[in-house]
Amino acid sequence: MTVLTPAETSATERKKLALLPSQLSVDVPLSMIAQAIEANIKSSSLIGQQRAKDALSFGLGVDAAGYNLYVMGEQATGRFTLVNDYITAIKKPKYPVLDWCYLNNLEAEREPMALSLAAGESKRLVKDIETLIDEIMATFPAVFENPSFQRKKGAITRHFDQKYDSAIDQVEKIALSRSVALVEDGNNITFSPIIDGKPLNDGEFTSKTDIDRQHYYDVIDGLEVHLSEALLELPAWQRASVEQQKALKQETVEQGIRPLLKALEQKYVGNIAILKYCQQLKKHLIETVIKVLSGDDKDDKGNEFDKRALFVDTYLPNVLVANKACDIVPLIYEPNPNYQNLFGKIEYTSVQGSIYTNYQMITAGALHRANAGYLLLDAEKLLDHPHVWEALKLALKFEQIRLELPQQDLAMVNNITQIPQPIPLKVKLILLGSSELYYTLQEYDPEFSELVRVLVDFDHEIDLTQENINHFVTRLRQQVANIGLSDINHDAIAFCIRYSLRQGEHQSKLSAKFADVIELLNEAHYFCRLANNEILTRAHIEYALKAKKYRSGRVSDTFLLDIEEGHVLISTAGKAVGTVNGLTVLEVGDTAFGTPARVTASVYAGSSGVVDIEREVELGQSIHSKGVLLLTGYLGNKYAKTFPLTLSANIALEQSYGYIDGDSASLAELLALISSLTDIGLEQGIAITGSINQLGEVQAVGGINEKIEGYFTLCANRGLTGEQGVVIPKSNHVNLMLSDEVIAAVENGLFTIYAVSDVDQAICVTMKQTAGKLSSRGTYPKNTVHSMAISRLFAISNVVNGMTDE
């Protein structure tokens, strides 16, 4: 039996922990791609997402109050596409699709009346009212010029003139008997003395003696009394004449418009609302025609256009929603759901310095257009606008669209406005939003769960099955055709699938964000055209990826240059005590890249415990601080079961000047701490990522591919020696989708990726020593890492607690 030395045991263990090149990525077999092409399935708008499809089908099928939908998931995962396709496939709407108009309420003009019509009928009604207006304009004022009307009007005028003339004649006879003449000058009547058969003028009258003048003054005063008595009933005569002429006009107009309105009523005999409107219209039209088209204003003959505009503005229906005469289910997406875009608005104009509005200036909102159908809104954008969410909840609850200006509640509008009649509402609301917003609304808005009862949950990953590959390849080839290329070869398809797996960070799950693949194809199309090719190849896609990485890589290149120039201290060779390279991911805009970060730890006698310098200076966020606090739990559980854990230790991410979050550095921090305790150096060529719990188990972290590739790039620039590599959690190996460069280096033995499941394995890799296993007596073998750590901690405890031998 061969007994291995501790060094040999450690080397054997490290070899077992090293991942094989085949474990660092996956490639879909070309046979699966060929099968997908051969299957030639019908184009699918969405890959996978069966849970979401079932929930959406249920939500759209339930016809009950409150069963509106919240479609939850990340953007670009196909949420809108799925909803659109499902609703488009609905052949018959649940509710009648109607046209909606507002009519002028002729009895209360501030309260326009809502009118519903069958789809397509609103245009016919508008045309009929326009025809009515044209016929009225053609009929009047010609009717008032008719000889019959003129004779009747003349008779009324003559009757008044006869009474007036008779009264004046009586007064004139009395005046002549008193040698005074009655003189009419327009509407004025005056008296003048007569001498020698001739009325005196002012000059002649002035030359008379005072006695003569006074005599005539007295006579004229008496005559004026007679005149007043004679014309005492003149206002009554005038009123009677006016009333008779008005009655004549009303009778004439009524006779003229009666057959016109009769034709309209017969056409809409089945619509009670229009018949009621015609009753209002009849009375109001008579008054308007008399006022505008009676022809009394001789100077107004050149304003036919303005007159017609008056009739249009007063009587023509304001069509809010005009649908086509077919059973298409309304599906409305409102990208900017503010109050006016959802509920409509009342417009205003300035007329001679005054603010003016009428029923014609009411415009429709998305709710009007989606009535009897479906309304899609972005939940985040909806909540950005004040008042809108509360108003929308009221509309859904009471099933009516009420146009009320929110500014009026804040006393911001004092102008007289319209109060349109509410419109009945039957709509299915579909909100698109994030999971965070969904659970926030559920917690803080008690009405949300009553109004939005169906959750359509989109997954961000799709299982890598043959069926999903079939759909993926179909969508891929369809997009290639859409951008104008003839085809895409098998290698390029395989690369796109691999790219989607990389985006999903899983070896067996595609990313649900197919939009990322479409973006890649669009960019690869540019390079394909540059090469004058009609078939998209893997080389074109690789060029596109490299170009994108170059365009957005300035920040990552700057970080790498700072390390190369020594501005940031990162060692990739040799050993160092209390120092290790951690792996971090930086996100800048829509790009993410990995970069190493130096983690250091120092241990000394004291009782302050493990101090996280990042937290002390308020740069460490809550999750990072939690990871550091777990280190104390591990040390106590592992080493200090028989004596008090007493030490002072500082941990820091060197040359880090921004906020730090996440616990993926906790494994590196623990190894630096153990190295500082035991004075055992850590391999500087090995970078570490992973979080731990108090039991020393290594847990998965995010951004694993970017972290590995970021460190590999640094090592490759400095020169690969075969001693460099990374330590990752074993549970992360299914997330590996590494680049060909990294895989080739691993295959050639120039770079190694170790997958560890606990701290002991990480110690074996980074310190190249055996961590030590606990014996049945509760001790670790001598000269193992754990044994040396216990000895150091025990010595510190004795020093701090005053238990050292004098």
Side-chain angles (χ1 to χ4, degrees):
M1 180 178 179
T2 303
V3 179
L4 299 177
T5 64
E8 291 173 333
T9 301
S10 175
T12 302
E13 183 66 22
R14 290 198 304 275
K15 189 173 181 180
K16 292 180 181 179
L17 298 174
L19 294 177
L20 300 174
S22 59
Q23 296 176 286
L24 306 182
S25 182
V26 294
D27 284 310
V28 176
L30 294 180
S31 59
M32 295 183 70
I33 297 174
Q35 182 178 343
I37 295 175
E38 184 178 353
N40 194 26
I41 64 171
K42 184 179 178 181
S43 176
S44 173
S45 60
L46 193 68
I47 304 169
Q49 304 291 5
Q50 190 59 46
R51 187 197 309 273
K53 292 176 181 178
D54 292 342
L56 182 61
S57 179
F58 169 78
L60 296 179
V62 175
D63 184 16
Y67 278 84
N68 299 297
L69 296 85
Y70 188 100
V71 183
M72 183 171 74
E74 298 179 4
Q75 291 186 353
T77 54
R79 300 175 304 174
F80 181 86
T81 302
L82 177 64
V83 173
N84 183 73
D85 288 353
Y86 264 63
I87 294 176
T88 304
I90 298 175
K91 301 300 182 183
K92 190 173 182 62
K94 294 181 180 179
Y95 307 104
V97 179
L98 303 174
D99 287 358
W100 284 97
C101 309
Y102 270 118
L103 301 175
N104 190 5
N105 188 344
L106 302 174
E107 296 177 354
E109 293 192 359
R110 288 189 60 199
E111 302 175 6
M113 301 181 298
L115 173 67
S116 63
L117 295 166
E121 288 295 306
S122 61
K123 292 182 178 179
R124 186 162 72 101
L125 177 62
V126 169
K127 187 175 181 181
D128 290 338
I129 299 295
E130 286 179 337
T131 301
L132 175 65
I133 293 173
D134 290 338
E135 290 174 344
I136 290 174
M137 295 293 295
T139 303
F140 303 95
V143 169
F144 297 116
E145 298 173 359
N146 185 280
S148 175
F149 174 80
Q150 292 296 331
R151 283 196 302 270
K152 293 177 182 179
K153 181 180 178 182
I156 295 171
T157 303
R158 284 194 302 273
H159 181 68
F160 170 79
D161 291 344
Q162 287 172 358
K163 286 185 177 183
Y164 179 81
D165 292 343
S166 176
I168 296 299
D169 288 345
Q170 292 177 6
V171 175
E172 186 174 17
K173 288 178 181 179
I174 296 172
L176 290 174
S177 68
R178 298 179 183 181
S179 299
V180 175
L182 186 148
V183 180
E184 289 187 75
D185 184 11
N187 292 327
N188 297 321
I189 297 176
T190 60
F191 295 95
S192 178
I194 299 175
I195 296 178
D196 297 331
K198 178 182 177 183
L200 299 180
N201 58 31
D202 290 343
E204 293 172 339
F205 182 76
T206 304
S207 66
K208 295 296 181 180
T209 65
D210 293 340
I211 294 175
D212 291 340
R213 287 200 304 269
Q214 185 61 46
H215 168 72
Y216 284 114
Y217 284 145
D218 294 338
V219 171
I220 290 173
D221 287 342
L223 291 173
E224 287 181 346
V225 170
H226 283 292
L227 180 63
S228 298
E229 292 175 353
L231 298 180
L232 184 64
E233 296 183 7
L234 179 62
W237 300 341
Q238 289 176 327
R239 285 195 301 271
S241 177
V242 170
E243 290 297 329
Q244 289 173 1
Q245 291 197 20
K246 182 177 180 181
L248 174 62
K249 290 180 180 179
Q250 287 179 337
E251 181 184 357
T252 303
V253 172
E254 185 176 358
Q255 290 176 351
I257 67 173
R258 184 186 297 123
L260 305 180
L261 282 176
K262 193 68 175 179
L264 185 66
E265 290 173 348
Q266 290 176 350
K267 194 170 188 178
Y268 293 95
V269 68
N271 193 315
I272 297 177
I274 295 181
L275 293 179
K276 288 183 178 179
Y277 178 65
C278 286
Q279 292 300 315
Q280 280 192 9
L281 194 61
K282 179 179 179 181
K283 180 179 179 181
H284 202 273
L285 262 177
I286 292 173
E287 296 176 355
T288 306
V289 169
I290 292 174
K291 180 180 178 180
V292 178
L293 300 178
S294 64
D296 291 339
D297 189 352
K298 303 301 181 181
D299 297 328
D300 198 30
K301 293 185 177 180
N303 294 327
E304 294 299 323
F305 178 81
D306 292 341
K307 292 177 181 179
R308 189 182 190 284
L310 174 64
F311 279 88
V312 168
D313 290 343
T314 307
Y315 303 116
L316 198 68
N318 174 15
V319 179
L320 288 183
V321 180
N323 294 296
K324 295 182 178 179
C326 55
D327 290 333
I328 296 178
V329 182
L331 172 60
I332 302 299
Y333 170 69
E334 176 51 58
N336 181 25
N338 58 32
Y339 190 93
Q340 293 182 337
N341 289 347
L342 277 185
F343 291 88
K345 61 183 176 180
I346 301 174
E347 297 177 336
Y348 292 84
T349 187
S350 178
V351 178
Q352 296 180 350
S354 299
I355 300 299
Y356 169 78
T357 186
N358 68 2
Y359 79 105
Q360 293 279 11
M361 303 177 77
I362 301 172
T363 61
L367 278 172
H368 298 94
R369 296 190 296 273
N371 207 353
Y374 304 88
L375 176 63
L376 271 69
L377 301 175
D378 288 313
E380 286 88 351
K381 294 179 180 178
L382 175 66
L383 295 176
D384 282 342
H385 299 285
H387 311 290
V388 177
W389 174 235
E390 294 300 324
L392 182 58
K393 288 192 295 184
L394 289 175
L396 294 173
K397 185 175 181 179
F398 294 102
E399 295 187 331
Q400 61 178 213
I401 308 171
R402 185 180 294 274
L403 184 53
E404 297 173 338
L405 299 180
Q407 300 95 319
Q408 289 180 328
D409 295 335
L410 302 176
M412 293 174 62
V413 173
N414 296 320
N415 297 314
I416 295 176
T417 185
Q418 301 282 301
I419 308 175
Q421 181 181 354
I423 292 178
L425 176 65
K426 288 290 185 182
V427 70
K428 182 83 75 172
L429 175 65
I430 303 173
L431 296 175
L432 309 175
S434 64
S435 57
E436 294 84 1
L437 181 58
Y438 175 77
Y439 295 118
T440 300
L441 287 171
Q442 274 203 327
E443 182 176 358
Y444 293 103
D445 189 345
E447 294 179 306
F448 178 75
S449 297
E450 297 178 7
L451 294 174
V452 184
R453 298 179 182 272
V454 181
L455 173 64
V456 181
D457 192 0
F458 270 66
D459 201 346
H460 62 279
E461 297 174 337
I462 301 170
D463 291 334
L464 188 65
T465 63
Q466 181 64 57
E467 179 182 0
N468 288 336
I469 289 178
N470 293 348
H471 288 289
F472 186 95
V473 172
T474 300
R475 290 282 309 277
L476 206 64
R477 299 182 72 194
Q478 182 182 18
Q479 179 61 23
V480 168
N482 290 341
I483 60 179
L485 296 176
S486 60
D487 204 352
I488 177 172
N489 65 24
H490 288 31
D491 284 342
I493 293 175
F495 189 85
C496 288
I497 295 175
R498 181 176 175 181
Y499 176 78
S500 183
L501 293 170
R502 166 67 180 251
Q503 295 299 99
E505 292 190 282
H506 204 285
Q507 293 182 353
S508 61
K509 293 184 183 295
L510 297 164
S511 170
K513 297 179 68 174
F514 191 75
D516 291 340
V517 180
I518 292 179
E519 178 184 350
L520 180 62
L521 291 177
N522 292 336
E523 294 178 7
H525 173 241
Y526 169 77
F527 294 98
C528 184
R529 288 300 189 195
L530 285 182
N532 293 320
N533 289 338
E534 291 294 327
I535 298 178
L536 196 66
T537 67
R538 176 170 179 164
H540 301 138
I541 300 176
E542 288 178 337
Y543 280 138
L545 275 179
K546 290 178 181 177
K548 182 176 182 179
K549 185 177 180 181
Y550 174 75
R551 291 194 305 269
S552 59
R554 184 190 63 81
V555 177
S556 60
D557 290 346
T558 301
F559 270 88
L560 187 61
L561 182 62
D562 287 341
I563 296 173
E564 289 292 327
E565 294 179 347
H567 298 156
V568 177
L569 301 179
I570 297 291
S571 177
T572 57
K575 288 188 174 185
V577 174
T579 303
V580 68
N581 292 328
L583 294 176
T584 63
V585 172
L586 298 180
E587 294 184 2
V588 180
D590 61 344
T591 62
F593 59 91
T595 182
R598 191 180 191 187
V599 179
T600 61
S602 60
V603 177
Y604 50 92
S607 58
S608 57
V610 178
V611 176
D612 177 15
I613 293 178
E614 310 300 330
R615 184 179 67 174
E616 293 300 315
V617 298
E618 298 182 354
L619 289 178
Q621 302 296 293
S622 56
I623 298 178
H624 177 263
S625 298
K626 175 187 175 183
V628 175
L629 291 173
L630 287 172
L631 303 183
T632 303
Y634 174 83
L635 294 176
N637 178 67
K638 195 75 174 179
Y639 302 131
K641 291 184 177 181
T642 59
F643 60 89
L645 180 63
T646 308
L647 82 160
S648 290
N650 289 337
I651 295 178
L653 266 71
E654 302 292 347
Q655 295 182 280
S656 173
Y657 308 106
Y659 291 109
I660 299 171
D661 203 4
D663 60 353
S664 63
S666 57
L667 176 58
E669 290 167 339
L670 178 61
L671 292 175
L673 192 60
I674 294 174
S675 172
S676 186
L677 272 172
T678 60
D679 285 330
I680 299 175
L682 292 165
E683 293 290 336
Q684 299 300 289
I686 305 296
I688 302 165
T689 186
S691 68
I692 63 165
N693 58 28
Q694 295 183 93
L695 302 178
E697 296 169 328
V698 179
Q699 303 164 145
V701 295
I704 195 69
N705 294 296
E706 288 80 5
K707 290 176 178 179
I708 294 173
E709 291 174 357
Y711 185 67
F712 171 80
T713 301
L714 173 63
C715 294
N717 288 346
R718 289 182 171 179
L720 297 173
T721 63
E723 299 297 323
Q724 297 138 332
V726 295
V727 171
I728 65 170
K730 186 176 182 179
S731 53
N732 270 129
H733 82 278
V734 296
N735 305 115
L736 293 178
M737 289 297 300
L738 296 171
S739 65
D740 291 338
E741 292 82 0
V742 177
I743 297 174
V746 172
E747 194 169 6
N748 294 328
L750 299 176
F751 196 78
T752 309
I753 298 174
Y754 301 95
V756 301
S757 57
D758 54 42
V759 174
D760 290 0
Q761 293 177 346
I763 289 174
C764 176
V765 173
T766 57
M767 296 183 180
K768 292 188 176 180
Q769 293 196 29
T770 303
K773 292 184 179 181
L774 190 66
S775 67
S776 57
R777 295 178 300 171
T779 60
Y780 291 99
K782 289 185 178 181
N783 299 323
T784 60
V785 174
H786 291 327
S787 174
M788 288 185 280
I790 288 177
S791 297
R792 178 73 187 281
L793 286 173
F794 185 73
I796 293 175
S797 177
N798 289 338
V799 170
V800 173
N801 295 309
M803 299 175 62
T804 56
D805 295 332
E806 296 182 357

